Coordinates of all heavy atoms in Angstrom, one line a residue:
M23 N 273.3 151.1 34.2 CA 272.0 151.2 34.7 C 271.1 151.4 33.6 O 269.9 150.8 33.7 CB 272.0 152.5 35.7 CG 270.7 152.7 36.3 SD 270.3 151.6 37.6 CE 271.5 151.9 38.8
E24 N 271.4 152.1 32.6 CA 270.5 152.3 31.5 C 270.2 151.0 30.7 O 269.1 150.8 30.3 CB 271.1 153.4 30.5 CG 270.2 153.8 29.4 CD 270.8 154.9 28.6 OE1 271.4 155.8 29.1 OE2 270.7 154.8 27.3
R25 N 271.2 150.2 30.6 CA 271.0 148.9 29.9 C 270.0 148.1 30.7 O 269.2 147.3 30.0 CB 272.4 148.2 29.9 CG 272.3 146.9 29.1 CD 273.7 146.3 28.9 NE 274.6 147.1 28.2 CZ 275.9 147.1 28.2 NH1 276.4 146.2 28.9 NH2 276.6 147.9 27.5
F26 N 270.0 148.1 32.0 CA 269.1 147.3 32.7 C 267.7 147.7 32.5 O 266.8 146.8 32.3 CB 269.4 147.5 34.2 CG 268.4 146.9 35.2 CD1 268.3 145.5 35.3 CD2 267.4 147.7 35.8 CE1 267.3 145.0 36.2 CE2 266.5 147.2 36.6 CZ 266.4 145.8 36.7
F27 N 267.4 149.0 32.4 CA 266.0 149.4 32.1 C 265.6 149.1 30.7 O 264.4 148.8 30.5 CB 265.9 150.9 32.4 CG 265.9 151.2 33.9 CD1 266.9 151.9 34.5 CD2 265.0 150.7 34.8 CE1 267.0 152.2 35.8 CE2 265.0 150.9 36.1 CZ 266.0 151.7 36.7
F28 N 266.5 149.1 29.7 CA 266.1 148.8 28.4 C 265.8 147.2 28.3 O 264.9 146.8 27.7 CB 267.2 149.1 27.4 CG 267.3 150.5 27.0 CD1 268.4 151.2 27.0 CD2 266.1 151.2 26.6 CE1 268.5 152.6 26.7 CE2 266.1 152.5 26.3 CZ 267.3 153.2 26.3
I29 N 266.6 146.4 29.0 CA 266.3 145.0 29.1 C 265.0 144.7 29.8 O 264.2 143.9 29.3 CB 267.5 144.3 29.8 CG1 268.7 144.3 28.9 CG2 267.1 142.8 30.1 CD1 270.0 143.8 29.6
L30 N 264.7 145.4 30.9 CA 263.4 145.3 31.6 C 262.3 145.7 30.7 O 261.3 145.0 30.7 CB 263.4 146.2 32.9 CG 262.2 146.1 33.7 CD1 262.0 144.7 34.3 CD2 262.3 147.2 34.8
L31 N 262.5 146.8 29.9 CA 261.4 147.3 29.0 C 261.1 146.2 28.0 O 259.9 145.8 27.7 CB 261.8 148.6 28.3 CG 260.9 149.1 27.3 CD1 259.6 149.6 27.9 CD2 261.5 150.3 26.6
G32 N 262.1 145.6 27.3 CA 262.0 144.6 26.4 C 261.3 143.3 26.9 O 260.5 142.7 26.4
F33 N 261.8 143.0 28.1 CA 261.2 141.8 28.8 C 259.8 141.9 29.1 O 259.0 141.0 28.9 CB 262.0 141.5 30.1 CG 261.5 140.4 30.9 CD1 261.7 139.1 30.5 CD2 260.8 140.6 32.1 CE1 261.2 138.0 31.3 CE2 260.3 139.6 32.8 CZ 260.5 138.3 32.4
L34 N 259.4 143.1 29.6 CA 257.9 143.3 30.0 C 257.1 143.4 28.7 O 255.9 142.9 28.7 CB 257.8 144.6 30.8 CG 258.3 144.4 32.2 CD1 258.1 145.7 33.0 CD2 257.6 143.2 33.0
I35 N 257.6 143.9 27.6 CA 256.9 143.9 26.4 C 256.7 142.5 25.9 O 255.5 142.1 25.4 CB 257.6 144.8 25.3 CG1 257.4 146.2 25.6 CG2 257.0 144.5 23.9 CD1 258.2 147.2 24.7
V36 N 257.7 141.6 25.9 CA 257.6 140.3 25.5 C 256.6 139.5 26.4 O 255.8 138.7 25.9 CB 259.0 139.6 25.5 CG1 258.9 138.1 25.3 CG2 259.9 140.2 24.4
V37 N 256.7 139.8 27.7 CA 255.8 139.1 28.7 C 254.3 139.5 28.4 O 253.4 138.6 28.4 CB 256.1 139.4 30.1 CG1 255.1 139.0 31.1 CG2 257.4 138.7 30.5
A38 N 254.1 140.7 28.1 CA 252.7 141.2 27.7 C 252.2 140.5 26.5 O 251.1 140.1 26.4 CB 252.7 142.7 27.7
N39 N 253.1 140.4 25.5 CA 252.6 139.8 24.2 C 252.5 138.2 24.5 O 251.5 137.7 23.9 CB 253.7 140.0 23.1 CG 253.6 141.4 22.6 OD1 252.6 142.0 22.5 ND2 254.8 141.9 22.2
V40 N 253.3 137.6 25.3 CA 253.1 136.2 25.5 C 251.7 135.9 26.3 O 250.9 135.1 25.9 CB 254.2 135.6 26.3 CG1 253.9 134.2 26.8 CG2 255.5 135.6 25.4
I41 N 251.4 136.8 27.3 CA 250.2 136.7 28.0 C 249.0 137.0 27.1 O 248.0 136.2 27.0 CB 250.1 137.6 29.2 CG1 251.2 137.1 30.2 CG2 248.8 137.7 29.8 CD1 251.3 138.1 31.4
G42 N 249.1 137.9 26.2 CA 248.1 138.2 25.1 C 247.9 137.0 24.2 O 246.8 136.6 23.8
F43 N 249.0 136.4 23.8 CA 249.0 135.2 22.9 C 248.2 134.1 23.6 O 247.4 133.3 23.0 CB 250.4 134.8 22.5 CG 250.4 133.6 21.6 CD1 249.9 133.6 20.3 CD2 250.9 132.4 22.1 CE1 250.0 132.4 19.6 CE2 250.9 131.2 21.4 CZ 250.5 131.2 20.1
L44 N 248.6 133.8 24.9 CA 247.9 132.7 25.7 C 246.4 133.0 25.8 O 245.6 132.1 25.7 CB 248.6 132.6 27.0 CG 250.0 132.1 27.0 CD1 250.6 132.1 28.4 CD2 250.1 130.7 26.4
V45 N 246.0 134.2 26.0 CA 244.6 134.6 26.1 C 244.0 134.3 24.7 O 242.8 133.8 24.6 CB 244.4 136.1 26.5 CG1 243.0 136.6 26.3 CG2 244.8 136.2 27.9
F46 N 244.6 134.7 23.6 CA 244.1 134.4 22.3 C 244.0 133.0 22.1 O 242.9 132.5 21.5 CB 245.1 135.0 21.2 CG 244.7 134.6 19.9 CD1 243.6 135.0 19.2 CD2 245.5 133.7 19.2 CE1 243.3 134.6 18.0 CE2 245.3 133.3 17.9 CZ 244.1 133.7 17.3
K47 N 244.9 132.1 22.5 CA 244.8 130.7 22.3 C 243.7 130.1 23.0 O 243.0 129.2 22.6 CB 246.1 130.0 22.7 CG 247.2 130.1 21.7 CD 246.7 129.4 20.4 CE 247.9 129.0 19.6 NZ 247.5 128.5 18.3
K48 N 243.4 130.7 24.2 CA 242.3 130.1 25.1 C 241.0 130.6 24.6 O 240.0 129.8 24.6 CB 242.5 130.6 26.5 CG 241.5 130.0 27.5 CD 241.9 130.5 28.9 CE 240.9 129.8 29.8 NZ 241.1 130.2 31.2
R49 N 240.8 131.8 24.3 CA 239.5 132.3 23.9 C 239.2 132.5 22.4 O 238.1 132.9 22.0 CB 239.3 133.7 24.6 CG 239.3 133.6 26.1 CD 239.0 134.9 26.7 NE 239.1 134.8 28.2 CZ 239.1 135.8 29.0 NH1 239.1 137.1 28.5 NH2 239.2 135.6 30.3
K50 N 240.3 132.4 21.6 CA 240.2 132.5 20.1 C 239.6 133.9 19.7 O 238.8 134.0 18.8 CB 239.3 131.4 19.6 CG 239.8 130.0 19.8 CD 241.1 129.7 19.1 CE 241.5 128.2 19.3 NZ 242.9 128.1 19.0
N51 N 240.0 134.9 20.4 CA 239.5 136.3 20.1 C 240.7 137.2 20.2 O 241.3 137.5 21.2 CB 238.4 136.6 21.1 CG 237.7 137.9 20.7 OD1 238.1 138.6 19.8 ND2 236.5 138.1 21.3
L52 N 241.0 137.8 19.0 CA 242.2 138.8 19.0 C 241.8 140.1 19.7 O 242.7 140.7 20.3 CB 242.5 139.2 17.6 CG 243.5 138.2 16.9 CD1 243.6 138.6 15.4 CD2 244.8 138.3 17.5
Y53 N 240.6 140.5 19.8 CA 240.2 141.7 20.5 C 240.4 141.5 22.0 O 240.8 142.5 22.7 CB 238.7 142.0 20.2 CG 238.5 142.4 18.8 CD1 237.9 141.5 17.9 CD2 239.0 143.6 18.3 CE1 237.7 141.8 16.6 CE2 238.8 144.0 17.0 CZ 238.2 143.1 16.1 OH 237.9 143.4 14.8
N54 N 240.2 140.3 22.6 CA 240.4 140.0 24.0 C 241.9 140.1 24.2 O 242.4 140.7 25.3 CB 239.9 138.7 24.4 CG 238.5 138.7 24.8 OD1 237.9 139.7 25.0 ND2 237.9 137.6 24.8
A55 N 242.7 139.6 23.3 CA 244.2 139.7 23.5 C 244.7 141.1 23.5 O 245.5 141.5 24.3 CB 244.8 138.8 22.4
A56 N 244.1 141.9 22.5 CA 244.5 143.3 22.5 C 244.1 144.1 23.8 O 244.8 144.9 24.4 CB 243.9 144.0 21.3
F57 N 242.9 143.7 24.3 CA 242.4 144.4 25.6 C 243.3 144.0 26.8 O 243.6 144.7 27.6 CB 241.0 144.0 25.8 CG 240.4 144.7 27.0 CD1 240.2 146.1 27.0 CD2 240.0 143.9 28.1 CE1 239.7 146.6 28.1 CE2 239.5 144.5 29.2 CZ 239.3 145.9 29.2
I58 N 243.7 142.7 26.8 CA 244.6 142.2 27.9 C 245.9 142.9 27.8 O 246.5 143.4 28.9 CB 244.7 140.7 27.8 CG1 243.4 140.0 28.2 CG2 245.8 140.2 28.8 CD1 242.9 140.3 29.5
I59 N 246.5 143.1 26.7 CA 247.7 143.8 26.5 C 247.6 145.3 26.9 O 248.4 145.9 27.5 CB 248.3 143.7 25.0 CG1 248.7 142.2 24.8 CG2 249.5 144.5 24.8 CD1 249.1 141.9 23.3
L60 N 246.4 145.8 26.6 CA 246.1 147.2 27.0 C 246.1 147.3 28.6 O 246.7 148.3 29.2 CB 244.8 147.7 26.5 CG 244.4 149.1 26.8 CD1 245.3 150.1 26.2 CD2 242.9 149.3 26.3
L61 N 245.5 146.3 29.2 CA 245.4 146.3 30.7 C 246.8 146.1 31.3 O 247.2 146.7 32.3 CB 244.4 145.3 31.2 CG 242.9 145.6 30.9 CD1 242.1 144.4 31.4 CD2 242.5 146.8 31.5
L62 N 247.6 145.2 30.7 CA 248.9 145.0 31.2 C 249.8 146.2 31.0 O 250.8 146.3 31.7 CB 249.5 143.8 30.4 CG 248.9 142.4 30.8 CD1 249.5 141.3 30.0 CD2 249.2 142.2 32.3
A63 N 249.5 147.1 30.0 CA 250.3 148.3 29.9 C 250.3 149.1 31.2 O 251.4 149.5 31.6 CB 249.8 149.2 28.8
G64 N 249.2 149.3 31.8 CA 249.1 150.0 33.1 C 249.8 149.3 34.2 O 250.6 149.8 35.0
V65 N 249.5 148.0 34.3 CA 250.1 147.2 35.3 C 251.7 147.1 35.3 O 252.4 147.4 36.3 CB 249.6 145.7 35.3 CG1 250.3 144.8 36.3 CG2 248.0 145.7 35.6
F66 N 252.1 146.8 34.1 CA 253.6 146.8 33.9 C 254.3 148.2 34.0 O 255.4 148.3 34.4 CB 254.0 146.1 32.6 CG 253.8 144.6 32.6 CD1 253.7 144.0 31.4 CD2 253.6 143.9 33.7 CE1 253.5 142.6 31.3 CE2 253.3 142.6 33.7 CZ 253.3 141.9 32.5
G67 N 253.5 149.2 33.7 CA 254.1 150.6 33.8 C 254.3 150.9 35.3 O 255.3 151.5 35.7
E68 N 253.3 150.5 36.1 CA 253.4 150.7 37.5 C 254.6 149.8 38.2 O 255.3 150.3 39.0 CB 252.1 150.3 38.2 CG 251.0 151.4 38.1 CD 251.5 152.7 38.8 OE1 252.1 152.7 39.9 OE2 251.3 153.8 38.1
I69 N 254.7 148.7 37.7 CA 255.8 147.8 38.2 C 257.1 148.4 37.8 O 258.0 148.5 38.6 CB 255.7 146.4 37.6 CG1 254.5 145.6 38.2 CG2 257.0 145.6 37.8 CD1 254.2 144.3 37.5
G70 N 257.2 148.9 36.6 CA 258.4 149.6 36.1 C 258.7 150.9 36.9 O 259.9 151.1 37.3
S71 N 257.7 151.7 37.2 CA 257.8 152.9 38.0 C 258.3 152.6 39.4 O 259.3 153.2 39.9 CB 256.5 153.7 38.1 OG 256.2 154.1 36.8
V72 N 257.7 151.6 40.0 CA 258.1 151.3 41.4 C 259.5 150.7 41.5 O 260.3 151.1 42.3 CB 257.1 150.3 42.0 CG1 257.6 149.7 43.3 CG2 255.7 151.0 42.2
L73 N 259.8 149.9 40.5 CA 261.2 149.3 40.4 C 262.2 150.4 40.1 O 263.3 150.4 40.8 CB 261.3 148.2 39.3 CG 262.4 147.4 39.3 CD1 262.6 146.6 40.6 CD2 262.4 146.4 38.1
A74 N 261.9 151.3 39.3 CA 262.8 152.5 39.0 C 263.0 153.3 40.2 O 264.1 153.9 40.5 CB 262.4 153.3 37.8
L75 N 261.9 153.5 41.0 CA 262.0 154.3 42.2 C 262.9 153.6 43.3 O 263.7 154.3 43.9 CB 260.6 154.5 42.8 CG 259.8 155.7 42.3 CD1 258.4 155.7 42.9 CD2 260.5 157.0 42.6
F76 N 262.8 152.4 43.4 CA 263.6 151.7 44.4 C 265.1 151.6 43.9 O 266.0 151.7 44.7 CB 263.2 150.2 44.5 CG 262.0 150.2 45.4 CD1 260.9 149.4 45.1 CD2 262.0 150.7 46.7 CE1 259.7 149.3 45.9 CE2 260.8 150.7 47.5 CZ 259.7 149.9 47.1
I77 N 265.3 151.5 42.6 CA 266.8 151.4 42.1 C 267.4 152.8 42.1 O 268.5 153.0 42.6 CB 266.8 150.8 40.7 CG1 266.4 149.3 40.9 CG2 268.1 150.9 40.1 CD1 266.3 148.6 39.6
I78 N 266.7 153.8 41.5 CA 267.3 155.1 41.3 C 267.1 156.0 42.5 O 268.0 156.9 42.8 CB 266.7 155.8 40.0 CG1 267.1 154.9 38.8 CG2 267.3 157.2 39.8 CD1 266.3 155.4 37.5
R79 N 266.0 155.8 43.2 CA 265.7 156.7 44.4 C 265.6 158.2 44.0 O 266.1 159.1 44.6 CB 266.7 156.5 45.5 CG 266.8 155.1 46.0 CD 267.6 155.0 47.3 NE 267.8 153.6 47.7 CZ 266.9 153.0 48.4 NH1 265.9 153.6 48.9 NH2 267.2 151.7 48.8
D80 N 264.8 158.4 42.9 CA 264.6 159.8 42.5 C 263.1 159.8 42.0 O 262.6 159.0 41.3 CB 265.5 160.0 41.3 CG 265.4 161.5 40.8 OD1 265.0 162.3 41.6 OD2 265.8 161.8 39.6
P81 N 262.5 160.9 42.4 CA 261.0 161.0 42.0 C 260.8 161.0 40.5 O 259.8 160.7 40.0 CB 260.5 162.3 42.6 CG 261.5 162.7 43.7 CD 262.8 162.0 43.3
F82 N 261.9 161.5 39.7 CA 261.7 161.6 38.3 C 261.8 160.2 37.6 O 261.5 160.0 36.4 CB 262.8 162.5 37.7 CG 262.5 163.9 38.0 CD1 263.3 164.6 38.9 CD2 261.5 164.6 37.4 CE1 263.1 165.9 39.2 CE2 261.2 165.9 37.6 CZ 262.1 166.5 38.5
A83 N 262.0 159.2 38.4 CA 262.0 157.7 37.9 C 260.6 157.3 37.5 O 260.5 156.4 36.8 CB 262.6 156.8 39.0
L84 N 259.6 158.1 38.0 CA 258.2 157.7 37.6 C 258.1 157.8 36.1 O 257.2 157.2 35.5 CB 257.2 158.5 38.3 CG 257.0 158.2 39.8 CD1 256.1 159.3 40.5 CD2 256.5 156.9 40.0
F85 N 258.8 158.7 35.5 CA 258.8 159.0 34.1 C 259.1 157.8 33.3 O 258.7 157.6 32.1 CB 259.5 160.2 33.7 CG 258.9 161.5 34.2 CD1 259.5 162.2 35.1 CD2 257.6 161.8 33.8 CE1 258.9 163.5 35.5 CE2 257.0 163.0 34.2 CZ 257.7 163.8 35.1
Y86 N 260.0 156.9 33.9 CA 260.4 155.7 33.2 C 259.2 154.8 33.0 O 259.0 154.2 32.0 CB 261.5 155.0 34.0 CG 261.8 153.6 33.5 CD1 262.4 153.4 32.3 CD2 261.2 152.5 34.2 CE1 262.6 152.1 31.8 CE2 261.4 151.2 33.7 CZ 262.1 151.0 32.5 OH 262.3 149.8 32.0
G87 N 258.4 154.7 34.1 CA 257.1 153.9 34.0 C 256.2 154.5 33.0 O 255.5 153.7 32.3
L88 N 256.1 155.8 33.0 CA 255.2 156.4 31.9 C 255.7 156.0 30.5 O 255.0 155.9 29.6 CB 255.1 157.9 32.1 CG 254.4 158.3 33.4 CD1 254.5 159.8 33.6 CD2 253.0 157.8 33.4
N89 N 257.0 156.1 30.3 CA 257.6 155.7 29.1 C 257.3 154.3 28.7 O 257.0 153.9 27.6 CB 259.1 155.9 29.1 CG 259.8 155.9 27.7 OD1 259.1 156.1 26.7 ND2 261.1 155.6 27.7
M90 N 257.4 153.4 29.7 CA 257.1 152.0 29.4 C 255.6 151.9 29.1 O 255.2 151.1 28.2 CB 257.4 151.2 30.7 CG 257.2 149.7 30.5 SD 257.6 148.7 31.9 CE 259.2 149.2 32.3
V91 N 254.7 152.6 29.7 CA 253.3 152.6 29.4 C 253.1 153.0 28.0 O 252.3 152.4 27.2 CB 252.4 153.4 30.4 CG1 251.1 153.6 29.9 CG2 252.4 152.8 31.8
Y92 N 253.8 154.0 27.6 CA 253.7 154.5 26.1 C 254.0 153.4 25.2 O 253.2 153.2 24.2 CB 254.6 155.7 26.0 CG 254.7 156.2 24.5 CD1 253.7 156.8 24.0 CD2 255.9 156.0 23.8 CE1 253.7 157.3 22.7 CE2 256.0 156.5 22.5 CZ 254.9 157.1 22.0 OH 255.0 157.6 20.7
Y93 N 255.1 152.7 25.4 CA 255.5 151.7 24.4 C 254.5 150.4 24.4 O 254.2 149.9 23.4 CB 256.9 151.1 24.7 CG 258.0 152.2 24.3 CD1 258.9 152.6 25.3 CD2 258.1 152.6 23.0 CE1 259.9 153.6 24.9 CE2 259.1 153.4 22.6 CZ 259.9 153.9 23.6 OH 260.9 154.9 23.2
L94 N 254.0 150.1 25.6 CA 253.1 149.1 25.7 C 251.7 149.5 25.1 O 251.0 148.7 24.5 CB 252.8 148.6 27.1 CG 254.1 147.8 27.7 CD1 253.9 147.6 29.2 CD2 254.0 146.5 27.0
L95 N 251.3 150.8 25.1 CA 250.1 151.2 24.6 C 250.2 151.2 23.0 O 249.3 150.8 22.3 CB 249.7 152.6 25.0 CG 249.2 152.8 26.4 CD1 249.0 154.3 26.7 CD2 247.8 152.1 26.5
I96 N 251.4 151.6 22.5 CA 251.6 151.4 21.1 C 251.5 150.0 20.7 O 250.9 149.6 19.6 CB 253.0 152.0 20.7 CG1 253.0 153.5 20.8 CG2 253.4 151.6 19.3 CD1 254.3 154.2 20.6
N97 N 252.1 149.1 21.4 CA 252.1 147.6 21.2 C 250.6 147.1 21.2 O 250.1 146.4 20.3 CB 252.8 146.9 22.2 CG 253.0 145.4 22.0 OD1 252.8 145.0 20.9 ND2 253.1 144.6 23.0
S98 N 249.8 147.6 22.1 CA 248.4 147.2 22.2 C 247.6 147.8 21.0 O 246.8 147.1 20.4 CB 247.8 147.8 23.5 OG 246.4 147.5 23.5
F99 N 248.0 148.9 20.6 CA 247.3 149.5 19.4 C 247.6 148.8 18.1 O 246.8 148.6 17.3 CB 247.8 151.0 19.3 CG 247.2 151.7 18.1 CD1 245.8 152.0 18.1 CD2 248.0 152.0 17.0 CE1 245.3 152.7 17.0 CE2 247.4 152.7 15.9 CZ 246.0 153.0 15.9
I100 N 248.9 148.4 18.0 CA 249.3 147.5 16.8 C 248.5 146.2 16.8 O 248.0 145.8 15.8 CB 250.8 147.3 16.8 CG1 251.5 148.6 16.5 CG2 251.2 146.2 15.9 CD1 253.0 148.5 16.8
V101 N 248.3 145.6 18.0 CA 247.6 144.3 18.0 C 246.2 144.5 17.7 O 245.6 143.7 16.9 CB 247.8 143.6 19.4 CG1 246.8 142.4 19.6 CG2 249.2 143.2 19.7
F102 N 245.6 145.7 18.1 CA 244.2 146.0 17.9 C 244.0 146.2 16.3 O 243.0 145.8 15.8 CB 243.8 147.2 18.7 CG 242.4 147.6 18.4 CD1 241.3 146.8 18.8 CD2 242.0 148.8 17.8 CE1 240.0 147.1 18.7 CE2 240.7 149.1 17.6 CZ 239.7 148.3 18.0
I103 N 245.0 147.0 15.7 CA 244.9 147.2 14.3 C 245.0 145.9 13.5 O 244.2 145.7 12.5 CB 245.9 148.2 13.8 CG1 245.7 149.6 14.5 CG2 246.1 148.3 12.3 CD1 244.4 150.2 14.1
L104 N 245.9 145.0 13.9 CA 246.0 143.7 13.3 C 244.7 142.8 13.4 O 244.3 142.1 12.6 CB 247.2 142.9 13.9 CG 248.5 143.4 13.5 CD1 249.6 142.6 14.3 CD2 248.7 143.2 12.0
A105 N 244.0 143.0 14.6 CA 242.8 142.3 14.9 C 241.7 142.8 13.9 O 240.9 142.0 13.3 CB 242.3 142.4 16.3
I106 N 241.7 144.1 13.6 CA 240.7 144.7 12.7 C 241.0 144.3 11.3 O 240.0 143.8 10.5 CB 240.8 146.2 12.8 CG1 240.2 146.7 14.1 CG2 240.0 146.8 11.6 CD1 240.3 148.2 14.3
F107 N 242.3 144.2 10.9 CA 242.6 143.7 9.6 C 242.3 142.2 9.3 O 241.7 141.8 8.3 CB 244.1 143.9 9.3 CG 244.5 145.3 8.9 CD1 245.8 145.8 9.3 CD2 243.7 146.1 8.2 CE1 246.1 147.1 9.0 CE2 244.0 147.4 7.9 CZ 245.2 147.9 8.3
V108 N 242.5 141.4 10.4 CA 242.1 140.0 10.3 C 240.6 139.8 10.1 O 240.2 139.0 9.4 CB 242.7 139.3 11.5 CG1 242.1 137.8 11.6 CG2 244.2 139.1 11.5
T109 N 239.9 140.6 10.9 CA 238.4 140.6 10.8 C 237.9 141.0 9.4 O 237.0 140.3 8.8 CB 237.8 141.5 11.9 OG1 238.2 141.1 13.2 CG2 236.2 141.4 11.8
I110 N 238.5 142.0 8.9 CA 238.2 142.4 7.5 C 238.5 141.4 6.5 O 237.7 141.1 5.6 CB 238.8 143.8 7.2 CG1 238.2 144.9 8.0 CG2 238.7 144.1 5.7 CD1 239.0 146.3 7.9
I111 N 239.7 140.8 6.6 CA 240.0 139.7 5.7 C 239.1 138.5 5.8 O 238.7 137.9 4.8 CB 241.5 139.4 5.9 CG1 242.4 140.5 5.4 CG2 241.9 138.1 5.1 CD1 243.9 140.4 5.8
K112 N 238.8 138.1 7.0 CA 237.8 137.0 7.2 C 236.5 137.3 6.6 O 235.9 136.4 5.9 CB 237.7 136.7 8.7 CG 238.8 135.9 9.2 CD 238.5 135.5 10.7 CE 239.5 134.7 11.3 NZ 239.2 134.3 12.7
K113 N 236.0 138.5 6.8 CA 234.7 138.9 6.2 C 234.7 138.9 4.6 O 233.8 138.4 4.0 CB 234.2 140.2 6.8 CG 234.0 140.2 8.2 CD 232.6 140.6 8.5 CE 232.5 140.6 10.0 NZ 231.3 140.2 10.6
Y114 N 235.8 139.4 4.2 CA 236.0 139.5 2.7 C 236.1 138.0 2.1 O 235.4 137.7 1.1 CB 237.2 140.2 2.3 CG 237.5 140.3 0.9 CD1 236.7 141.1 0.0 CD2 238.6 139.5 0.3 CE1 237.0 141.1 -1.3 CE2 238.8 139.6 -1.0 CZ 238.0 140.4 -1.8 OH 238.3 140.4 -3.2
N115 N 236.8 137.2 2.8 CA 237.0 135.8 2.2 C 235.7 135.0 2.4 O 235.4 134.2 1.5 CB 238.1 135.1 2.9 CG 239.5 135.6 2.4 OD1 239.6 136.1 1.3 ND2 240.5 135.3 3.3
S116 N 234.9 135.3 3.4 CA 233.7 134.5 3.6 C 232.6 135.0 2.7 O 231.7 134.2 2.3 CB 233.2 134.6 5.1 OG 232.8 136.0 5.3
S117 N 232.7 136.2 2.2 CA 231.6 136.7 1.3 C 232.0 136.3 -0.2 O 231.2 136.4 -1.1 CB 231.6 138.2 1.3 OG 232.8 138.8 0.8
R118 N 233.3 135.8 -0.5 CA 233.7 135.4 -1.8 C 233.4 134.0 -2.0 O 233.8 133.5 -3.1 CB 235.1 135.8 -2.0 CG 235.4 137.2 -2.2 CD 236.9 137.4 -2.5 NE 237.4 136.2 -3.1 CZ 238.6 136.1 -3.6 NH1 239.4 137.1 -3.6 NH2 239.1 135.0 -4.1
I119 N 232.9 133.2 -1.2 CA 232.7 131.8 -1.4 C 231.8 131.5 -2.5 O 230.6 132.1 -2.6 CB 232.1 131.1 -0.1 CG1 233.2 131.2 1.0 CG2 231.8 129.6 -0.3 CD1 232.7 130.7 2.4
I120 N 232.2 130.7 -3.5 CA 231.4 130.5 -4.7 C 230.6 129.2 -4.6 O 231.0 128.3 -4.1 CB 232.3 130.5 -6.0 CG1 233.0 131.8 -6.1 CG2 231.5 130.1 -7.2 CD1 234.0 131.9 -7.2

């Protein structure tokens, strides 16, 4: 049972990142991609909580969804920090043009 939830957690993290990548490709904005991943953290956390409630049938299964939200929020934070670094590097390189 535990293996199923770890696979589900990894799958939803990958899906959130792929959706964020598709948003980035469409809009060419890393901040939008980070925001979409942030929004998907809540949505996928709820999906994980409901799925865990149906499978385990225990009220404490909601904490699995909260755990999933935590990992997706960390993922969103990492993408946001990368967007800031990319913006700083672009500004630095554009100011160095000779």
